[in-house]
C-alpha cells in the first residue's frame, strides 16, 4: 500500500505564512498543493497566519480594485495639469522657453471642459468676438434711431410728443457699449495661471499677439489676476499700443496699490502716452493747416492771414485777420 506523504510543521519561520480559507488540514499536517494564489484566484479569501497566533485576511482582488478606484476618486481632475505646470515652471526658470510653452499648453489641454466645467479658451475668445460684433450692430442701430428722431424733431412744427421723448430716453439708456461677461469655469483661477504663464513664454519668444490673446483668456477666467494684466501691458507696449498698456498698468495699481512694478509702469507709460498724444496733435494740426491753406488759396489767402491768441483766463482763443502778414 502506497503511503501518503505527510509534512509536519517546522519551527516557526522568520516571516509570515500565507494560507487560504480553503487550505486542507489533517491531524498530521497540511497539504502543500493548496496554494494561496490558486485558491484566491478561484474565489477564496486569503488568510495570513502570523507568528504568535494572530490571523488576518489577505485583501482580495476586488478589495484592491476598490481601494485603487477610491484613490483615483480622491485625485483632483486637474492634478495632471498642476504637474505639467510645475514642469513648465522648471523649464522657464532654466530659460527653456519653448519647452515651458509646450508644458503649459499640455496643462491647458488636459483640463476638463464642457458641461459641468466650462468653456475652453478658444471658445471664450470666439464668444467675445461674437458678442462684440453684436454690440457693434446694436450701437449702429441705436445711433440710426437717434439720428432719425433728431431729424423728426427738427422738422416738426410743434414740440415732440411724449412718446418721442420716452423713445429717446430709452435709446439713451442703451446707447453705451455693453461689457462681455464670460461664463465661469469650475477651475477658472487655475486655468488663468496656465494661460498667464504661457503668455510669459510667448513674450520671451517675441509672439506678442498670441501673448495678448492668452492674457485675455486668463483675465476672462480671473478678472483680478494682476500678473496677467502686467504681462498684457508688456505685450501692448511692445506692439506700440501705449494707450491700452497704460490702462492695464492703472488697473493693476487699482487692484494692488502696493505693486511697485505696476506703479513704475504707470509713471513711464503715462509719459510715453503724453508724448504720443502731443505728436498726434501736431500732426493733426499740420494736416488741418494744409487743408485750410488749400481752400484759402483760392481766395488769395492763407492761414498766415489769421492770428489766434489764447485767453489765459478762459483758455479760449480770439482770432484776428491780418491783410498783409509777415512771411516767416
Amino acid at each position: 500500500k502506497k503511503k501518503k506523504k505527510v509534512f509536519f510543521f517546522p519551527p516557526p519561520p522568520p516571516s509570515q505564512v500565507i494560507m487560504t480559507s480553503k487550505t486542507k488540514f489533517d491531524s498530521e499536517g497540511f497539504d502543500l498543493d493548496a496554494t494561496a494564489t490558486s485558491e484566491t484566484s478561484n474565489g477564496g479569501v486569503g488568510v495570513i497566519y502570523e507568528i504568535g497566533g494572530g490571523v488576518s485576511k489577505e485583501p482580495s482582488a476586488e478589495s484592491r480594485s476598490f481601494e485603487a478606484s477610491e484613490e483615483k476618486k480622491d485625485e483632483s481632475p486637474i492634478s495632471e495639469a498642476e504637474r505639467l505646470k510645475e514642469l513648465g515652471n522648471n523649464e522657464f526658470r532654466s530659460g527653456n522657453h519653448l519647452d515651458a510653452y509646450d508644458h503649459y499648453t499640455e496643462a491647458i489641454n488636459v483640463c476638463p471642459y464642457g458641461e459641468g466645467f466650462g468653456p475652453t479658451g478658444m471658445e471664450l475668445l470666439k464668444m467675445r468676438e461674437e458678442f462684440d460684433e453684436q454690440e457693434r450692430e446694436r450701437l449702429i442701430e441705436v445711433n440710426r434711431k437717434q439720428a432719425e428722431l433728431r431729424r423728426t424733431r427738427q422738422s416738426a412744427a410743434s414740440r415732440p410728443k411724449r412718446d418721442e421723448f420716452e423713445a429717446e430716453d430709452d435709446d439713451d439708456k442703451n446707447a453705451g457699449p455693453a461689457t462681455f461677461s464670460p461664463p465661469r469655469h469650475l477651475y477658472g483661477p487655475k486655468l488663468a495661471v496656465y494661460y498667464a504663464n504661457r503668455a510669459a513664454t510667448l513674450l520671451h519668444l517675441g509672439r506678442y499677439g498670441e501673448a495678448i490673446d492668452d492674457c485675455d483668456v486668463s483675465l476672462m477666467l480671473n478678472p483680478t489676476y494682476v500678473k496677467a494684466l502686467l504681462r498684457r501691458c508688456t505685450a501692448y507696449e511692445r506692439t506700440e499700443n501705449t494707450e491700452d498698456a497704460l490702462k492695464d498698468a492703472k488697473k493693476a495699481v487699482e487692484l494692488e496699490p502696493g505693486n511697485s512694478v505696476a506703479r513704475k509702469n504707470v509713471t513711464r507709460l503715462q509719459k510715453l502716452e503724453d508724448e504720443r498724444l502731443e505728436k498726434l496733435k501736431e500732426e493733426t494740426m499740420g494736416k488741418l493747416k494744409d487743408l485750410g491753406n488749400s481752400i484759402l488759396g483760392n481766395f488769395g489767402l492763407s492761414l498766415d492771414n489769421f492770428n489766434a491768441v489764447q485767453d489765459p483766463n478762459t483758455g479760449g482763443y480770439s482770432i484776428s485777420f491780418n491783410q498783409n502778414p509777415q512771411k516767416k
Side-chain angles (χ1 to χ4, degrees):
K1 185 177 180 180
K2 191 174 182 180
K3 291 184 179 180
K4 181 179 179 182
K5 291 184 180 180
V6 176
F7 296 86
F8 293 92
F9 286 97
S15 61
Q16 297 175 338
V17 179
I18 300 178
M19 306 290 292
T20 73
S21 59
K22 293 185 178 181
T23 300
K24 299 176 184 177
F25 289 88
D26 59 25
S27 59
E28 298 178 309
F30 60 90
D31 189 349
L32 290 182
D33 292 334
T35 62
T37 302
S38 62
E39 292 287 22
T40 55
S41 65
N42 293 325
V45 178
V47 178
I48 301 175
Y49 293 85
E50 301 174 355
I51 296 173
V55 177
S56 60
K57 291 184 178 181
E58 180 189 11
S60 66
E62 293 83 358
S63 175
R64 288 192 295 269
S65 176
F66 177 77
E67 289 173 1
S69 65
E70 286 299 305
E71 289 178 4
K72 195 168 184 180
K73 285 181 183 177
D74 292 339
E75 189 175 300
S76 168
I78 59 168
S79 296
E80 178 63 10
E82 284 290 288
R83 186 187 71 82
L84 290 165
K85 181 200 75 172
E86 289 305 318
L87 291 177
N89 290 348
N90 293 335
E91 295 293 349
F92 187 87
R93 294 187 195 101
S94 301
N96 302 322
H97 300 123
L98 273 174
D99 290 335
Y101 173 88
D102 289 339
H103 287 310
Y104 293 138
T105 300
E106 289 173 356
I108 291 168
N109 291 338
V110 301
C111 278
Y113 300 100
E115 187 176 354
F117 295 102
T120 66
M122 291 297 294
E123 289 171 340
L124 283 173
L125 290 173
K126 185 177 180 181
M127 280 188 268
R128 187 186 63 175
E129 183 181 354
E130 291 174 352
F131 175 86
D132 290 344
E133 180 61 29
Q134 291 173 359
E135 271 302 290
R136 281 191 290 270
E137 293 175 358
R138 185 185 69 82
L139 291 175
I140 290 172
E141 182 63 16
V142 168
N143 290 334
R144 186 191 65 77
K145 288 181 178 179
Q146 289 180 343
E148 184 178 347
L149 182 59
R150 282 193 296 269
R151 286 194 298 270
T152 302
R153 292 181 62 182
Q154 291 171 359
S155 61
S158 60
R159 190 172 179 174
K161 297 178 181 179
R162 181 177 179 80
D163 59 349
E164 289 177 345
F165 279 120
E166 290 175 351
E168 184 177 20
D169 291 341
D170 290 340
D171 286 339
D172 288 340
K173 289 178 183 177
N174 299 320
T179 304
F180 175 60
S181 298
R184 291 181 65 255
H185 191 286
L186 185 61
Y187 299 104
K190 295 284 188 184
L191 265 172
V193 173
Y194 308 156
Y195 275 101
N197 284 7
R198 191 170 73 171
T201 67
L202 289 166
L203 288 174
H204 282 277
L205 296 171
R207 294 155 61 177
Y208 305 126
E210 294 174 68
I212 292 171
D213 285 343
D214 272 2
C215 289
D216 285 351
V217 173
S218 179
L219 289 165
M220 282 190 276
L221 293 165
N222 183 4
T224 61
Y225 191 26
V226 172
K227 285 185 178 180
L229 279 168
L230 292 177
R231 286 166 188 169
R232 189 172 68 177
C233 169
T234 300
Y236 277 142
E237 184 180 359
R238 291 182 184 177
T239 55
E240 300 182 354
N241 185 353
T242 54
E243 181 180 3
D244 287 332
L246 180 59
K247 288 179 183 178
D248 279 350
K250 287 181 176 180
K251 182 65 176 178
V253 171
E254 180 185 328
L255 292 170
E256 290 185 6
N259 192 310
S260 59
V261 174
R263 297 180 73 85
K264 288 178 182 177
N265 281 351
V266 169
T267 302
R268 180 174 51 79
L269 289 167
Q270 187 65 67
K271 182 179 178 182
L272 290 174
E273 183 63 5
D274 290 343
E275 291 174 355
R276 184 187 73 83
L277 292 176
E278 185 61 31
K279 183 179 179 181
L280 180 62
K281 178 182 174 182
E282 292 175 359
E283 291 175 354
T284 303
M285 292 300 294
K287 291 176 181 178
L288 289 174
K289 185 174 180 180
D290 292 340
L291 178 62
N293 284 332
S294 66
I295 296 173
L296 292 172
N298 297 324
F299 304 95
L301 301 172
S302 73
L303 288 176
D304 293 332
N305 292 102
F306 301 90
N307 295 324
V309 180
Q310 186 177 22
D311 187 329
N313 297 322
T314 64
Y317 287 86
S318 61
I319 300 176
S320 60
F321 178 73
N322 185 358
Q323 182 67 41
N324 298 309
Q326 294 180 352
K327 294 187 176 181
K328 299 179 181 179

